[in-house]
Amino acid sequence: MANSSTGPLDGVRVLDFGRYIAGPFCATLLADLGADVIRVERREGSEDRYVQPIVPGAAPGEGGEGSMFLQMNRNKKSITLDPMHADGQEIVARLVKTADVVVANLPPSTLQKMGLDLPSLQAHREDIILTTVSGFGRGGPDSEKTGFDGVFQAMSGAAHLSGFGDAPVKSYAAWVDFGTASFAALGTMAALMDRGKTGRGQMVEGALLGTALTYFNFHLIEQKLGGTDRVASGNRSQYAGPADAIETSDGWIFVQVIGDPLFKRWAKLMGEDTWLTDPRFKDDISRGNNGTVLSERTAAWAKDLSTQEALAALEAARIPAGPVLKPADVLENEHVNEVGFFEDVDFPGMPGTAPVVGFPVRMSDSTVGIRKRPPLLGEHTEEVLLSLGYSSGDIETLRTAGAI
């Protein structure tokens, strides 16, 4: 893990009321940059603490935490709290007075009930920044609906154009959630910069549907202006070619050719120089429209080659390609490990260290990344409450009353 030196956001306190990915990972990115992040969980633990448990059936701190929690909550402190309890609301008020940012990916009405809407927060600290993420965004008929990543992959058009046309397919990677978290963190950074100039806080709003539409936007622009009505084509690109998953003698590779220079190199490698003057392949969109032919030619070339041989030949021709790896293969990949994308993170009760990807951007003059493991449930409750002026006796009373 990275050393404990301060990062760019040292001195910024963030209260993380997030759930699952979009809110918690936004706070994680801020924590990676040095912010003091306090994860506020329910007394029994938030749902996302137990998603994909490493040791099914185990208790918290004995391996019951899930892989999602191990990724989303490095560099954070944890307190348990019932924000609907009267004493819990008082704790929230004291916390907010010490905080710069509150992160909460909850529907607008839930924020109000919990006293986490902007006016309620501003009553405790006028220049507070509220970073909130909802599913559908505020102001429309679906604003109060709940939804997860896959719902918005479907609603953006992305799932329709994935798969092979017999049924819509969502990505196994939660790109809508992670994209929203990244946008929310970017907005939060901008709000902190603006507050430094104006002295004013504000609300930063993200929406999963907005993120999905952003990532899929150029396809929607084409649909509106071109009326293309595209349908799924599996792994084959409809905008260039050859760009497809190709089977080798012992596995699969992905080849992606975009632009005339790459196509010329591909045609030379395939021994198909005459295709350079073939009108079917005159530009990227034409190659996409005739991509089946290009994929079949590449597959015929690769079928008797090993994955290693095919990739070596493609690299010699400077054609972008890579192996299709299983999760177990990714963990053993030489390049992944040599670059150091993973950091080994310990956690109580786990059968080994967790390979956690740290802050995804490197900075030449700032310390960013993983400084400490994710917290146990309520591990820092007493420490934080003592810092807010509660005595040990007060804390025991709050615990007995069910506020913490």
Side-chain angles (χ1 to χ4, degrees), residues 18-19 39-42 44-50 377:
R19 300 168 65 245
R39 177 75 195 272
V40 183
E41 297 188 69
R42 298 184 305 184
E44 64 273 23
S46 298
E47 306 99 310
D48 52 285
R49 181 174 278 269
Y50 309 110
L377 179 61

Side-chain angles (χ1 to χ4, degrees), residues 325-334 336-337 342 354-356:
L325 301 177
K326 298 176 182 178
D329 298 329
V330 176
L331 294 170
E332 299 298 326
N333 183 266
E334 180 182 8
V336 168
N337 287 295
F342 292 120
V356 179

Side-chain angles (χ1 to χ4, degrees), residues 79-150:
I79 69 170
T80 54
L81 172 67
D82 180 359
M84 304 302 289
H85 192 287
D87 292 330
Q89 292 173 356
E90 171 59 26
I91 296 172
V92 170
R94 293 199 196 186
L95 277 170
V96 171
K97 290 176 182 177
T98 72
D100 299 284
V101 178
V102 171
V103 176
N105 55 320
L106 298 164
S109 62
T110 304
L111 289 175
Q112 287 185 318
K113 290 176 183 177
M114 295 177 64
L116 298 178
D117 58 300
L118 187 61
S120 297
L121 294 173
Q122 287 177 326
H124 307 305
R125 177 163 177 169
E126 189 175 355
D127 65 350
I128 196 75
I129 294 168
L130 169 61
T131 299
T132 179
V133 171
S134 63
F136 290 84
R138 187 161 53 103
D142 294 335
S143 294
E144 292 299 323
K145 288 184 177 180
T146 59
F148 285 118
D149 181 281

Side-chain angles (χ1 to χ4, degrees), residues 8-312:
L9 292 186
D10 179 52
V12 173
R13 170 167 279 188
V14 178
L15 304 182
D16 175 13
F17 288 88
R19 300 168 65 245
Y20 294 105
I21 296 175
F25 194 65
C26 168
T28 297
L29 294 173
L30 301 176
D32 286 350
L33 289 167
D36 173 29
V37 178
I38 300 174
R39 177 75 195 272
V40 183
E41 297 188 69
R42 298 184 305 184
R43 297 173 67 209
E44 64 273 23
S46 298
E47 306 99 310
D48 52 285
R49 181 174 278 269
Y50 309 110
V51 174
Q52 293 182 239
I54 302 301
V55 183
E62 298 178 2
E65 280 82 1
S67 56
M68 178 188 290
F69 182 82
L70 297 181
Q71 179 186 8
M72 301 293 150
N73 293 283
R74 72 245 189 177
N75 296 332
K76 297 181 185 179
K77 299 173 182 175
S78 169
I79 69 170
T80 54
L81 172 67
D82 180 359
M84 304 302 289
H85 192 287
D87 292 330
Q89 292 173 356
E90 171 59 26
I91 296 172
V92 170
R94 293 199 196 186
L95 277 170
V96 171
K97 290 176 182 177
T98 72
D100 299 284
V101 178
V102 171
V103 176
N105 55 320
L106 298 164
S109 62
T110 304
L111 289 175
Q112 287 185 318
K113 290 176 183 177
M114 295 177 64
L116 298 178
D117 58 300
L118 187 61
S120 297
L121 294 173
Q122 287 177 326
H124 307 305
R125 177 163 177 169
E126 189 175 355
D127 65 350
I128 196 75
I129 294 168
L130 169 61
T131 299
T132 179
V133 171
S134 63
F136 290 84
R138 187 161 53 103
D142 294 335
S143 294
E144 292 299 323
K145 288 184 177 180
T146 59
F148 285 118
D149 181 281
V151 172
F152 303 104
Q153 290 192 36
M155 289 186 65
S156 68
H160 172 74
L161 281 184
S162 298
F164 292 85
D166 53 344
V169 174
K170 67 172 279 295
S171 168
Y172 210 76
W175 56 266
V176 178
D177 277 330
F178 281 101
T180 305
S182 301
F183 288 155
L186 177 63
T188 303
M189 295 284 289
L192 286 166
M193 292 179 65
D194 185 72
R195 190 179 73 176
K197 294 183 292 185
T198 67
R200 296 191 301 268
Q202 60 181 298
M203 181 159 66
V204 177
E205 292 185 83
L208 298 178
L209 181 56
T211 297
L213 293 172
T214 297
Y215 279 35
F216 203 68
N217 194 187
F218 69 86
H219 304 289
L220 300 173
I221 292 171
E222 183 201 44
Q223 175 62 39
K224 174 67 162 53
L225 300 181
T228 46
D229 292 326
R230 293 189 181 275
V231 295
S233 56
N235 295 302
R236 179 177 60 79
S237 171
Q238 300 181 36
Y239 303 95
D244 206 346
I246 302 296
E247 190 171 11
T248 65
S249 65
D250 61 353
W252 289 82
I253 60 175
F254 201 93
V255 179
Q256 195 156 16
V257 173
I258 301 175
D260 290 342
L262 283 177
F263 184 70
K264 290 176 182 178
R265 297 204 290 269
W266 174 86
K268 182 178 180 180
L269 179 63
M270 297 294 121
E272 300 290 357
D273 289 352
T274 59
W275 286 13
L276 296 175
T277 56
D278 190 320
R280 294 177 299 170
F281 313 125
K282 64 180 180 179
D283 52 27
D284 274 336
I285 195 66
S286 299
R287 294 190 281 268
N289 291 337
N290 294 282
T292 300
V293 175
L294 299 175
S295 291
E296 289 174 347
R297 180 65 187 90
T298 311
W301 169 81
K303 67 182 178 66
D304 295 325
L305 299 175
S306 68
T307 293
Q308 184 176 0
E309 291 168 339
L311 290 175

